[in-house]
Amino acid sequence: MAADTQHIVVVAHDPAWQAGGLALAAELRSELAPLPVHIEHIGSTAIPGMAAKPVFDLQITVTDLAEAERAFDQPLAAMGFRRSPYQHDHVPAGLDDDPERWTKRLWSRRSHAGADCNLHVRLLGSPNERLALLFRDWFRAHPEAVPAYAQFKTLLAGAVGDIGVYADIKDPVVDLVITVANSWAAETGWAPHGTTS
């Protein structure tokens, strides 16, 4: 498999990202209704003060991935998105879990009139749906941790030129954050989508 040697750019947080993420979520909700259960702005651009690649990550929660794939391909293509062959998320280190529980569908948009964006379509109640929301919400609740993670990403982007290597190095750090975040979630009663379980 050929390496993806695109230049990785991590930039300072832009306060406009919050409104941009909300606008994208609203646009997608309009175009993809009624299948999405939730559409949420996730990832580093959804965390105040966090440096990030200037690419929005949005999570679309559905109850059937195959149905979503069939229904979303055409409207998303019209919006400039292309579906990726990548259908699984990283299973956190030390977690003995069936990789099939970490399935998803992924569409990406680059160099388009609309904002650059990754759409992660995940199953309601799946561990990868939960992880994306927990990662975001833990950092939002712990702004003192944002500068260190932002600096890590900035230094990593400057040291590697391959997006796959960047992700492979970043994943174990995310795993560390999630380990701490899981304890916080248990202590505070946090649950995805603001519900209690």
Side-chain angles (χ1 to χ4, degrees):
M1 185 168 71
D4 182 353
T5 55
Q6 70 186 51
H7 185 58
I8 303 166
V9 177
V10 172
V11 300
H13 181 79
D14 183 344
W17 285 342
Q18 181 178 2
L22 290 172
L24 272 170
E27 181 183 7
L28 289 162
R29 197 170 287 111
S30 174
E31 294 294 328
L32 302 178
L35 289 183
V37 179
H38 303 283
I39 301 179
E40 299 191 59
H41 184 195
I42 60 167
S44 291
T45 59
I47 300 166
M50 182 67 77
K53 298 188 302 297
V55 177
F56 289 97
D57 285 282
L58 274 81
Q59 177 166 271
I60 302 176
T61 300
V62 297
T63 57
D64 185 317
L65 283 176
E67 180 185 23
E69 182 178 317
R70 289 189 298 271
F72 293 173
D73 258 342
Q74 186 173 348
L76 288 178
M79 296 172 70
F81 287 92
R82 303 176 110 189
R83 183 159 40 90
S84 167
Y86 181 71
Q87 295 190 354
H88 289 85
D89 281 314
H90 160 80
V91 178
L95 185 61
D96 184 19
D97 200 3
D98 181 355
E100 289 307 306
R101 287 177 19 93
W102 295 75
T103 60
K104 73 172 180 181
R105 297 297 183 270
L106 174 66
W107 282 263
S108 295
R109 181 172 70 186
R110 300 290 188 275
S111 302
H112 183 268
D116 286 357
C117 183
N118 297 317
L119 301 179
H120 307 264
V121 180
R122 297 178 172 121
L123 284 171
L124 180 66
S126 64
N128 47 346
E129 183 220 19
R130 177 184 183 275
L131 186 148
L133 299 170
L134 177 58
F135 179 86
R136 178 198 68 189
D137 290 354
W138 184 85
F139 270 113
R140 285 178 172 177
H142 297 85
E144 69 279 8
V146 168
Y149 186 70
Q151 184 176 11
F152 160 71
K153 291 198 309 169
T154 302
L155 292 172
L156 178 59
V160 300
D162 180 291
I163 195 71
V165 173
Y166 176 86
D168 287 345
I169 294 171
K170 189 163 67 77
D171 280 344
V173 177
V174 172
D175 296 349
L176 287 170
V177 171
I178 290 300
T179 298
V180 175
N182 276 324
S183 297
W184 169 78
E187 291 165 3
T188 61
W190 176 92
H193 318 294
T195 61
T196 54
S197 53

